[in-house]
Amino acid sequence: MLKTLEDLFELARLRKINPVSESYTNKLLNDKSFSKEKVLEEINELIEAVEKNTNKIHEAADVFYHLIMYLEANDVEVEEVMLELNN
């Protein structure tokens, strides 16, 4: 289960080093404003899905993906976040 999250962080880091043209992931990594907008949008969609009891899993996955890309775009190290959670 955690391997999936690790794979997403690895994907983000690889795409920062080796961009793929026309890649949605690269667009998120390179356009911080767009990335921020998408995180906010996806969180709102998740809240709505939970309240309506529809598409919760899909929307939660979208939040994870977009948040990971946002963190990587802004050089927030997941390792530091995990250390903070351990405190």
Side-chain angles (χ1 to χ4, degrees):
M1 178 173 44
L2 292 178
K3 176 81 170 98
T4 302
L5 291 174
E6 289 173 357
D7 289 348
L8 282 174
F9 277 103
E10 184 177 338
L11 170 68
R13 289 173 180 173
L14 286 173
R15 290 288 172 86
K16 282 173 79 173
I17 296 167
N18 299 309
V20 174
S21 70
E22 306 296 320
S23 163
Y24 181 70
T25 297
N26 276 115
K27 184 173 182 177
L28 291 168
L29 293 169
N30 295 325
D31 186 339
K32 292 179 183 183
S33 178
F34 177 67
S35 186
K36 176 184 171 183
E37 288 174 25
K38 290 304 294 180
V39 168
L40 294 171
E41 175 186 321
E42 297 301 338
I43 288 172
N44 284 324
E45 288 178 5
L46 174 60
I47 291 168
E48 184 177 321
V50 169
E51 289 174 349
K52 293 182 178 180
N53 197 27
T54 60
N55 296 324
K56 296 179 286 191
I57 304 305
H58 174 82
E59 297 302 340
D62 281 353
V63 168
F64 276 117
Y65 170 77
H66 287 90
L67 181 59
I68 288 169
M69 297 309 142
Y70 179 76
L71 293 174
E72 282 296 318
N74 289 281
D75 300 317
V76 177
E77 298 286 332
V78 67
E79 294 82 1
E80 291 180 31
V81 175
M82 294 299 109
L83 287 172
E84 181 66 23
L85 286 171
N86 280 329
N87 289 334

